[in-house]
Amino acid sequence: MLTLEWESEGLQTVGIVVIICASLKLLHLLGLIDFSEDSVEDELEMATVRHRPEALELLEAQSKFTKKELQILYRGFKNECPSGVVNEETFKEIYSQFFPQGDSTTYAHFLFNAFDTDHNGAVSFEDFINGLSILLRGTVQEKLNWAFNLYDINKDGYITKEEMLDIMKAIYDMMGKCTYPVLKEDAPRQHVETFFQKMDKNKDGVVTIDEFIESCQKDENIMRSMQLFENVI
């Protein structure tokens, strides 16, 4: 069972760690480790899949991964996603395998939308790399911007209490019965109130990107969480 200090740790800390952990779960499924890299570059150039990825050199320039890392990532991605893209249903199926004790459907939906930056209903290899590059190799500012975009469900530039509550309910549903002690039914709403008391500086009922980043940068727990998964590849 997973023990989390839900009462003492900030809500946003849990959310950010779950974002990165969930992304690493996807990395594991896509075969980050133990894939040979022979002829991968040729496959990138000659692939006959429905979606043709950009050349390695371009992705290397756009991301913070090396050519070798991209080769390994692409082999795993192509093996699991022969069409070259991941749709939302596949995304949900992937996360259900890693969180069988709970219901990860809603959180997977939110995370899928964060990776699907052009909102075309599919996550391509490029989308996947761009998001992963930020989560694992990005600056603190880049990671916090990405997290804010996840929490800002309707993409209007603000996080409302309703949006934060939806995210936290999704996280709690995904964690299921693996928390100890067992969470109270009203725990998500209580944590949302704590979140807003801390981050909504001008008390206007919404959290802006500037308020979010400023508050997170002053939180030692969040700053530590930003470094937990650096250089995992």
Side-chain angles (χ1 to χ4, degrees):
M1 298 179 73
L2 176 64
T3 301
L4 295 175
E5 298 177 11
W6 291 93
E7 300 303 325
S8 60
E9 296 291 339
L11 171 67
Q12 63 276 22
T13 305
V14 176
I16 289 171
V17 171
V18 170
I19 291 170
I20 302 175
C21 283
S23 300
L24 294 179
K25 295 287 190 180
L26 182 59
L27 267 182
H28 176 72
L29 180 67
L30 293 178
L32 175 61
I33 302 172
D34 293 333
F35 277 101
S36 67
E37 52 191 86
D38 296 340
S39 76
V40 176
E41 187 170 11
D42 291 339
E43 291 178 18
L44 277 169
E45 299 299 330
M46 301 299 293
T48 57
V49 295
R50 179 163 57 87
H51 175 85
R52 183 172 178 174
E54 298 173 3
L56 273 180
E57 289 76 11
L58 182 56
L59 283 177
E60 185 178 4
Q62 292 175 342
S63 72
K64 299 184 181 183
F65 293 119
T66 66
K67 184 176 180 179
K68 179 179 179 180
E69 290 168 340
L70 289 169
Q71 288 174 331
I72 296 171
L73 286 167
Y74 177 69
R75 175 64 66 84
F77 191 92
K78 191 175 76 69
N79 281 354
E80 294 296 333
C81 314
S83 67
V85 295
V86 180
N87 60 34
E88 184 171 339
E89 289 307 309
T90 301
F91 213 78
K92 290 176 179 178
E93 290 174 6
I94 289 172
Y95 280 97
S96 68
Q97 296 177 40
F98 289 106
F99 298 96
Q101 73 285 348
D103 181 359
S104 62
T105 302
T106 304
Y107 190 79
H109 166 74
F110 292 140
L111 200 61
F112 178 86
N113 286 341
F115 273 99
D116 180 20
T117 54
D118 53 7
H119 307 297
N120 65 352
V123 172
S124 65
F125 182 64
E126 294 88 346
D127 293 331
F128 177 65
I129 289 299
N130 289 334
L132 205 62
S133 177
I134 292 173
L135 290 174
L136 299 184
R137 302 281 172 83
T139 64
V140 168
Q141 179 95 8
E142 289 171 335
K143 291 176 181 178
L144 292 176
N145 276 325
W146 201 95
F148 182 89
N149 180 65
L150 173 69
Y151 298 150
D152 178 18
I153 296 174
N154 66 0
K155 313 306 177 192
D156 65 352
Y158 302 95
I159 300 174
T160 65
K161 287 186 177 182
E162 291 75 15
E163 288 174 322
M164 200 68 219
L165 184 59
D166 287 344
I167 292 288
M168 289 315 301
K169 283 182 176 178
I171 291 176
Y172 286 13
D173 288 344
M174 181 171 65
M175 301 307 294
K177 298 180 179 180
C178 70
T179 59
Y180 182 83
V182 176
L183 297 170
K184 298 178 181 178
E185 187 174 347
D186 62 345
R189 190 172 298 277
Q190 290 177 355
H191 282 304
V192 169
E193 291 300 324
T194 301
F195 175 93
F196 270 79
Q197 288 174 12
K198 181 176 183 179
M199 293 204 169
D200 183 12
K201 301 297 185 181
N202 62 359
K203 307 303 178 185
D204 62 351
V206 296
V207 173
T208 65
I209 181 67
D210 291 335
E211 289 174 326
F212 181 79
I213 290 177
E214 180 184 353
S215 297
C216 288
Q217 289 178 331
K218 292 179 180 179
D219 190 305
E220 293 182 2
N221 293 321
I222 293 178
M223 290 301 97
R224 282 197 297 268
S225 76
M226 294 287 96
Q227 302 172 357
L228 287 177
F229 304 101
E230 291 180 356
N231 300 317
V232 298
I233 298 179

